[in-house]
C-alpha cells in the first residue's frame, strides 16, 4: 500500500496517522510505504490528496484518488478511527 502525499496537506498528515496505526495491526501481511509526491513529480494537484495506491504481486489493484471520496463521511480526526483486534 502506497500513500502518495505531501506533508503540507492536512488530510495527508491525518491519513499518515491512520495508516501508521493500521500498519501495526496487519503487519507482516501487508507493507505500507509513504511516497512524497514532490519527490516523484514537480507538481501533483493537491485536490487528489491523500492518494492510496494498492499493489498485489506487482500489479495495481486499487487507485483511490483521493481516498476521501471513497468515504461516506467527512474525513477528519474525529470521524475516522482505526482499531486493532487481538487474534
Amino acid at each position: 500500500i502506497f500513500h502518495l502525499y505531501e506533508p503540507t496537506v492536512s488530510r495527508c498528515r491525518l491519513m499518515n496517522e491512520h495508516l501508521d496505526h493500521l500498519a501495526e495491526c496487519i503487519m507482516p501481511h501487508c507493507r505500507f510505504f509513504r511516497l512524497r509526491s514532490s519527490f516523484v513529480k514537480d507538481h501533483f494537484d493537491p485536490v487528489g490528496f491523500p492518494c492510496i495506491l494498492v499493489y498485489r504481486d506487482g500489479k495495481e489493484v486499487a487507485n483511490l484518488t483521493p481516498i476521501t471520496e471513497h468515504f461516506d463521511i467527512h474525513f477528519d480526526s474525529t470521524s475516522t478511527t482505526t482499531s486493532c483486534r487481538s487474534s
Side-chain angles (χ1 to χ4, degrees):
I1 297 177
F2 287 86
H3 177 210
L4 187 63
Y5 80 103
E6 273 303 317
T8 57
V9 178
S10 62
R11 294 173 312 212
C12 290
R13 291 191 307 269
L14 180 59
M15 181 58 67
N16 277 336
E17 290 176 27
H18 290 290
L19 290 175
D20 284 344
H21 186 72
L22 184 60
E24 292 174 15
C25 295
I26 63 174
M27 287 290 271
H29 305 290
C30 185
R31 296 183 70 191
F32 289 81
F33 301 92
R34 287 189 191 117
L35 186 58
R36 189 169 173 178
S37 67
S38 58
F39 292 166
V40 178
K41 185 178 173 182
D42 288 338
H43 179 72
F44 275 94
D45 188 345
V47 122
F49 295 135
C51 173
I52 301 293
L53 305 171
V54 181
Y55 289 83
R56 174 180 260 164
D57 298 325
K59 296 180 183 173
E60 185 178 295
V61 295
N63 181 337
L64 308 171
T65 308
I67 192 168
T68 52
E69 286 186 359
H70 299 272
F71 296 136
D72 290 334
I73 55 176
H74 178 71
F75 183 70
D76 63 26
S77 61
T78 59
S79 63
T80 308
T81 59
T82 309
S83 62
C84 296
R85 293 184 185 190
S86 304
S87 302

